[in-house]
Amino acid sequence: MSTETTETFEFQVEARQLLHLMIHSIYSNKDVFLRELISNASDALDKLRLAALRDSSLDADISDLHIDIEADRAARTLTVRDNGIGMSRDEVVQLIGTIANSGTAQFLKELKEAEDASSAEGLIGQFGVGFYASFMVADKVTLLTRRAGESQGTRWTSTGEGTYTIDTVDDAPQGTAVTLHLKPEDAEDRLYDYAAPWKIREIVKRYSDFITWPVRMAPEPRADAGADGTGEEGTGTEDAEAPAAPETLNSMKALWARSREEVTDEEYHELYKHISHDWHDPLETIRLQAEGTFEYQALLFLPSHAPHDLFNQGYKRGVQLYVKRVFIMEDCDALMPSYLRFVKGVVDAQDLSLNVSREMLQQDRQIQLMNRRLAKKVLATVKDLRTKDPERYATFWREFGAVVKEGLIGDYENRDTLLEVSSFATTHDEDAPTTLRQYVERMPEGQEHIFYLTGESRQALENSPHMETFRAKGIEVLLLTDPVDEVWVDSVPAYDGKQFRSVAKGEVDLGTEEEKQEAEKERKQHQEQFAGLLTWMTEHLKENVKEVRLSSRLTVSPACLVSDTHDVTPALESMYRAMGQSLPPTKRILELNPSHALVSGLNTARAERPDDGGLAETAELLYDMALLAEGGTPGDPARFVKLMADRIERTL
Ligand code: ADP
């Protein structure tokens, strides 16, 4: 074996931090390192089979794809070897020396802030750290790899502390072998006896049984005495005459092809972890068997928490696609609508070509039907969860509600179901969100609409002047604070025949017929009384507002700004701007509270001193105050402060 010069590299900063964590392991279940290595090896075999299928000229042997585990108890090493796709030298540096996951920085920040070991453990589990998990059990790791089709191999070695070395190796076998030098301090602990065959058997059975490639274990140098790990150490003398065949440790049965009764929840959960790189159990497992002309099996999972990058552009969505048990592609986005992009799982179709491409899938009618059927199945599961297990439903909605609501905008077919499974924060209950069904059931007689208010935070919405009358009359309002809420409320006409109405838009008329008539009478009176003020203010503020009118929604504040029923809200306007769309500013309506002393005082003063310039400034202040009350900023803050200061000074 000829080895060229050894080069030393530094780990990327994030990788270094992560490794530090792994070495000083705070993760209590160290066994998972082996699951991670087998998972990577299995992926590498999938990739090689696929590459060979697509490119017949690829110089690779795919006749006997497998994963071998070799343990040496005397040397305390453990090797996981696959004859899969392997990595080129550049890939080793890229894939093993850095962490590509876009959520890493955020993850590490949260990890630093995590107060105790158990919350840190939760975070690690959420993130999944793959290959690096080796450093929980090893103080040195060597990876020898050769990419299929290439002649030279690469050896990567590290103790996990800051740097790693790379050599080029001439005669490496195809695939990847990862050798762990197990930490000496774990040697005496049965719990961590990772070089013991019984331990390896146990871990593989537990975490990797469903892996579709054989996971084999070579016999120990001398036959293992006791399967309980109490046997004597091997002496290293091999029985050369009859080398025992490796033992296959896993059953290799695709879980989705087995009947429900045959598979335990734990097995499903391990498959989920393999495909999602999540270390936590999923919230829910969903099975679907489609018979008939286009046959397929699906095994889908709802995760128990949202990934960090769910809202990033380029978030990889979709489930894994298999064709007749052969892995075809990761992140098959054609199979899942975008608003269910967090769903993980496997779909195995019987009648697709092994050569199917992403582009072909997007066009394929059968795939579109599958997409719709899977979406329906997921939504039906969520609906079920809501009635049968409110607690788990609440977790689901907290984690994924903001994404699922995106479906309200485009998926007309499932709109009713989506409205049924959605829940919303409400003024009715500070802690528990409400479903629309519950809201409608609570609606008092005379209320025709479902009222809502959109904005930044629950607190800002609760204190908004727009809420005053609703609070005074005890009318429930949905408090919508996700950005997507601004959009769907405009595209969903109604739920159960009741239209959605923003409390910050249009006119409000609440109460019974009698109350409405009463209010109308009062409004007419006020209208006459304030007509002059309204005309004058509309003219004076015409640069900023399209109209000044009297309000029926205020009880304490002097003024507020509202939008016309079909106008774009300011929040939506700034969202469009942020996306680079230019649109003319929408003027809103300034509403005055006729019962407020400032408004009635201004009315009287104007009638008495029509030429008083100070009154025009007061009108401007009313407008600016309305802006401030909803969290906006006056157009000229310095002028606002000056005018305010003048007036306060006069009160002293
Ligand atoms: P993850 O598996 O979550 O992507 P890892 O740190 O475990 O993260 O691995 C990083 C990458 O290194 C993998 O995505 C894969 O491309 C490559 N890799 C790891 N192990 C192997 C292997 N046995 N064979 C080929 N490539 C591998």
Side-chain angles (χ1 to χ4, degrees), residues 16 21 23 28 65 74 110 155 186 192 226 237 259 273-274 319 366 397 417 426 458 527-528 582 619 623:
R16 203 161 58 222
L21 261 157
I23 292 169
S28 55
L65 299 178
E110 284 178 34
R155 184 188 297 107
D186 290 343
Y192 303 132
T237 50
S259 70
K273 290 173 189 171
H274 168 60
V319 296
Q366 292 294 353
W397 195 257
T417 318
T426 168
R458 182 179 180 111
Q527 199 61 37
E528 274 170 37
S582 68
Y623 170 70

Side-chain angles (χ1 to χ4, degrees), residues 507 519-535 538 547-551 592 594 603:
E507 304 265 8
E520 180 59 20
K521 230 191 307 172
E522 196 182 55
R523 200 184 65 84
K524 279 212 177 105
Q525 256 173 20
H526 279 144
Q527 199 61 37
E528 274 170 37
Q529 206 183 333
F530 287 85
L533 179 73
L534 297 178
T535 319
T538 302
E547 189 192 348
V548 180
R549 71 183 181 204
L550 294 181
S551 185
L592 302 181
N603 193 30

Side-chain angles (χ1 to χ4, degrees), residues 266-283:
E266 210 187 358
E267 284 178 292
Y268 280 133
H269 294 178
E270 289 311 324
L271 175 70
Y272 164 75
K273 290 173 189 171
H274 168 60
I275 58 188
S276 67
H277 301 243
D278 180 358
W279 287 17
H280 286 298
D281 287 344
L283 193 68

